[in-house]
Amino acid sequence: MSQSLYITAVLVSLLASASQLSAATDAVPKFDIERNCRSELSGGSGIGETMASCKADEERAGDELTPRWSVFSRADKKVCIQETQIDGSPSYVELLTCLEMTPSGRTKSQGPVD
């Protein structure tokens, strides 16, 4: 493969990824709760957690994200979506936590964050 063809292929791939991520920030992403909970429980990070409690936590976080989604900035959503997908098992709990720590996730009533 010639160098220019390779560079073109890489650029097309990057643009496609950026476009998909941009579209993903328009609505709460769809995560596989079952898969995430299996991963959490098999990794030992959910000490004392059951599949039922993990799924309930994920569903609650997803339900909380939906009405608040428009409050968060597009840039913050993009960063947090990428962050929660790093390990291959994205989580609504992680996404909500990440977004709540961003500038757009804080409200005036919460005051400044140290």
Side-chain angles (χ1 to χ4, degrees), residues 5 13 17 21 24 27 30 38 40 51 56-57 67 71 82 90 94-98 101-102 108 114:
L5 185 57
S13 175
S17 295
L21 190 54
K30 302 293 182 212
R38 275 195 314 269
E40 286 287 318
M51 179 62 86
D57 289 345
V71 172
Q82 288 175 326
E94 290 175 11
L95 179 58
L96 179 59
T97 301
C98 179
M101 293 188 300
T102 65
K108 290 180 183 176
D114 295 325

Side-chain angles (χ1 to χ4, degrees), residues 57-71:
D57 289 345
E58 287 295 320
E59 288 169 1
R60 258 191 305 276
D63 290 346
E64 189 174 335
L65 277 167
T66 301
R68 296 177 60 192
W69 194 249
S70 64
V71 172

